[in-house]
Amino acid sequence: MSPITIIGGGPAGSAAALSARSQGAAVRLFEKSTFPRHKVCGEFISPGAREVLEDLGVWNAFEECGPPRISRVALAFGARHKQWRLSEPGFGMSRFQFDNLLLNQARERGAEVIHGHGEPAGATIVAHGRRESARGARLFGFKAHFEGPADDAVSLYFFKSCYVGVSSVEGGRTNVCGLAPESVLRPNSFEIDPILVRNEPLFARIRPLSRVLDWMITGPLVFGQRFDSGAAGEYPVGDALGFIDPFTGSGMLGALITGQMAGRAAARGVSPEEYLGECRTALRGAYRAAAVFRAALRTGVADWLGPLIPGPVLLNLTRPKYTSGNEKNR
């Protein structure tokens, strides 16, 4: 049997490699970037990730990196605020650390990691990241790291078609990551600081912090999913399968889940069509909820509706559904 080809070594690709190797499959993983490296990302790892990381056999290595526990969620809709405690903690870890950890674990488990571009051969897991758009109202993501007082909350600030998330990562740093339309960024010459100071609650949160990483910007971004399509023999995972709004905090969890599912499916000879059906079951509800909330943000409805919905309900609506490998084996 030919080795499974994986294109991309981010969380989804590495999770796929780990999952396929746990099934005894040979794996060749191609990654064009040199690791470790920073990427624009909220860097919040949602509650529920522990089970996936345990299934992948990397939970202990993850804990050894010292990720801070995220115990609370705080939302700010203009002057209106909402917060609650999580029933189980999330975690903060930079992509610099997390991607490197997972890729090294995949290599140690026997995956052949090749730096460069690879040609699909046989069963191919596509984990090369999200699509970009040059049409319509374009959205861009941005991120930087700060040093200063840490917090155990992931805080989200919604204002003028923008949102910004603030949460701790390893090493006592704080990640500030957000999304803004081109109509807001271009008048400010794509400078991020002038946009952040316009929101008083956000500015109060980051005022005690000092930026230690230059602003990174990526985009234009395309929201959506590919649950019903895919080239023959290909298993799309992570952002290559679908890009969900960063405000949901589900991006990293979704990457791990789809990577784990695709690696298992490819190793067992499950067709891409059947795999995509499993993805629909696991993720479609989260994508639909995110689309509704995105529309509410765009129209301003979220400013008064968001604070009224119980926090745990908001969280659960945007969580992917995960079936552990142990349950699948029964």
Side-chain angles (χ1 to χ4, degrees), residues 15 29 37 124 138 141 154 163 175 180-181 210 221 226 264 283 288 293 310 312:
L29 186 154
R37 85 285 192 249
T124 300
R138 306 197 304 174
V154 54
Y163 48 86
N175 183 43
S210 299
L221 307 176
R226 293 175 53 202
R264 180 176 60 208
L283 301 176
R288 286 175 173 168
F293 196 62

Side-chain angles (χ1 to χ4, degrees), residues 159-295:
F159 58 101
K160 296 183 178 179
S161 300
C162 305
Y163 48 86
V164 175
V166 182
S167 58
S168 297
V169 293
E170 77 282 354
R173 291 191 171 187
T174 295
N175 183 43
V176 177
C177 183
L179 196 72
E182 186 174 14
S183 59
V184 172
L185 291 166
R186 188 166 294 281
N188 291 280
S189 302
F190 280 77
E191 294 290 332
I192 304 302
D193 291 315
I195 297 170
L196 304 189
V197 300
R198 295 178 186 173
N199 183 270
E200 290 186 9
L202 171 59
F203 185 54
R205 173 67 182 87
I206 63 176
R207 186 186 294 117
L209 307 178
S210 299
R211 184 160 53 84
V212 294
L213 182 70
D214 290 339
W215 286 109
M216 303 173 63
I217 300 178
T218 188
L221 307 176
V222 178
F223 297 108
Q225 44 75 24
R226 293 175 53 202
F227 300 148
D228 302 308
S229 64
E234 288 189 355
Y235 303 77
V237 297
D239 286 346
L241 173 65
F243 181 51
I244 193 168
D245 304 71
F247 66 72
T248 64
S250 294
M252 301 267 265
L253 178 59
L256 293 173
I257 289 174
T258 56
Q260 198 269 357
M261 291 168 57
R264 180 176 60 208
R268 295 181 176 180
V270 174
S271 70
E273 291 75 20
E274 186 175 341
Y275 157 73
L276 289 169
E278 292 181 354
C279 288
R280 282 194 295 273
T281 299
L283 301 176
R284 178 158 281 176
Y287 276 87
R288 286 175 173 168
V292 169
F293 196 62
R294 188 189 323 133

